[in-house]
Amino acid sequence: MKQKSQNCGSCFKELRQLAAFKYKDLEAIMSKTGIVKFENGTSNISFEKLAELLKFMGYTLSDFMYLSGESRVDEVYGEKFHIIRYQQGYRDDFFIPVGVNPVRLKLFESGKILLPYDLIDAMLGLMHIPEQDFSYIINGSKDDYFVHYINWLDRIQLKVN
């Protein structure tokens, strides 16, 4: 159990430092001593307290689970998204309106976390990139079976109307 709490604590510390939060910034939620003990792996915190701290810093529990290694990440989504964003010239703060701050974007694009599909979809929408194009890029320039099937149904529907 000690190993897991140390991993969680170091993961939390990494997220806190990436977001440039100091202990004093979080003291309304938890004391500096409590956070230091958690980060050093000498103490645990409740799930609710962890969720509250993460939310305050602009993260989700999913971000934490991915970064701590508890959940597997398919890096291709972030890598391909970065290529598209870079080619289109969008800055890393462009996605704040949909809830993705520059730190989360960096973690996503570097393959450390996976953002929920609705956020990826919203970010693609802001860049005016159709989901089908993103799917095509992710699948190595091959049509995604699901997207292909949906497009086929759309063509049939258009012929009927």
Side-chain angles (χ1 to χ4, degrees), residues 19-156:
F21 277 89
K22 308 258 186 272
Y23 296 117
K24 66 179 179 167
D25 300 326
L26 304 173
E27 66 188 3
I29 301 170
M30 189 171 181
S31 71
K32 175 183 176 180
T33 305
I35 294 172
V36 170
K37 285 181 177 181
F38 175 59
E39 290 179 348
N40 291 333
T42 58
S43 176
N44 285 318
I45 63 174
S46 71
F47 182 78
E48 293 79 16
K49 187 68 69 177
L50 176 61
E52 187 178 357
L53 287 164
L54 291 169
K55 183 177 181 181
F56 184 79
M57 293 188 301
Y59 299 110
T60 66
L61 281 168
S62 293
D63 298 341
F64 182 79
M65 297 303 285
Y66 283 120
L67 195 61
S68 68
E70 294 292 324
S71 297
R72 188 182 159 284
V73 176
D74 188 348
E75 298 91 1
V76 73
Y77 289 92
E79 291 169 359
K80 300 298 184 181
F81 187 89
H82 175 76
I83 291 168
I84 293 168
R85 179 180 68 83
Y86 185 76
Q87 287 175 343
Q88 299 292 322
Y90 290 101
R91 295 173 22 156
D92 60 356
D93 61 353
F94 183 73
F95 304 102
I96 290 173
V98 294
V100 180
N101 62 42
V103 175
R104 283 184 81 201
L105 181 64
K106 179 182 175 184
L107 291 169
F108 170 60
E109 290 182 344
S110 65
K112 293 183 178 181
I113 68 170
L114 186 59
L115 296 174
Y117 177 77
D118 62 325
L119 280 182
I120 295 171
D121 185 43
M123 293 187 312
L124 290 169
L126 284 176
M127 294 188 301
H128 307 288
I129 305 290
E131 294 172 43
Q132 182 177 356
D133 291 356
F134 187 62
S135 177
Y136 187 76
I137 292 167
I138 287 174
N139 290 314
S141 302
K142 296 178 186 152
D143 273 336
D144 178 81
Y145 175 75
F146 180 75
V147 171
H148 178 75
Y149 183 71
I150 294 300
N151 288 336
W152 177 73
L153 288 173
D154 284 345
R155 284 192 299 273
I156 290 172

Side-chain angles (χ1 to χ4, degrees), residues 6-18:
Q6 223 166 6
N7 186 33
C8 289
S10 61
C11 175
F12 179 83
K13 183 176 185 176
E14 181 180 351
L15 288 172
R16 180 182 60 76
Q17 290 174 337
L18 283 170

